[in-house]
Amino acid sequence: MNIAELISCLDDENKLNETLELIEDIIIDTPDSLTSKLRQLIAFPEKIENTNRFASLLSDLYSEEYIEPLIQTIARANLEEAAWLSDYMYALGNCLDELDEAYIPEESFVHLLGDWLLNTNGGEISWKSAIILENLEHPQCITYYEQGALSKGLFHQSRIACLSGLVNEFGMSKLEVYQELLKDDDPEVHGAAQSAIKWLERNE
């Protein structure tokens, strides 16, 4: 069934409620069997023709079960060959953002993201590494948060994500970093540091 056929079923009184139930099952009460199948497919990005759409699907049909296979697949990616990597990192960032608490990863994954953050010329992979790192909880994150926040060669949103991770995990103990960022030439970074200090002063 394609989308046109699905819509036509909504005009057919005999099929209306059955079609609505199917849509509701997919979007509202996603069956465990569908979640499980999508979870399995994550491990095979080479088989998926449009990983951008697949990443959006995983984000829209969010399940915590997607996080570990996304991490495992991203961790084995070759930067030079994995055309799907950015899409998978987008999906992982969205899934992590849905969690109530920061996710605790393996240390090797933190170092991989830290390397991509600092050593991929400040591009999209660097930015998405920062977004993922922001949502992780691990003692090794602090090095990358600090370096990322202070690195003027990175995209300002990458730097702000690192600042956010630093604030969330280490609070006022890193006040000297926030104060250094107050002197930054980038108004977005300067403003984020100013807001972070004000927020910490209210909540610490």
Side-chain angles (χ1 to χ4, degrees), residues 76-189:
R76 67 173 170 80
N78 183 318
L79 278 178
E80 305 300 322
E81 299 174 4
W84 47 266
L85 179 58
S86 177
D87 296 329
Y88 267 47
M89 294 177 79
Y90 166 79
L92 178 58
N94 287 341
C95 288
L96 290 172
D97 196 49
E98 291 288 336
L99 296 177
D100 293 331
E101 298 181 357
Y103 185 84
I104 302 174
E106 295 290 333
E107 182 174 328
S108 58
F109 190 61
V110 174
H111 290 309
L112 176 66
L113 292 173
D115 180 52
W116 288 349
L117 168 70
L118 300 172
N119 300 304
T120 53
N121 299 316
E124 187 173 16
I125 295 300
S126 172
W127 175 32
K128 289 181 176 174
S129 295
I131 291 171
I132 295 170
L133 279 166
E134 178 186 358
N135 288 285
L136 302 182
E137 181 180 346
H138 194 284
Q140 295 300 318
C141 287
I142 187 170
T143 300
Y144 302 114
Y145 289 155
E146 287 192 25
Q147 290 185 59
L150 294 168
S151 179
K152 296 185 178 183
L154 298 184
F155 181 40
H156 72 267
Q157 290 190 15
S158 303
R159 299 180 65 195
I160 291 170
C162 290
L163 170 61
S164 178
L166 202 60
V167 169
N168 291 337
E169 291 300 313
F170 302 99
M172 274 294 193
S173 67
K174 290 299 174 181
L175 181 59
E176 72 279 4
V177 177
Y178 316 144
Q179 290 174 331
E180 181 65 25
L181 293 174
L182 288 177
K183 308 170 190 174
D184 201 89
D185 295 335
D186 190 312
E188 299 285 348
V189 174

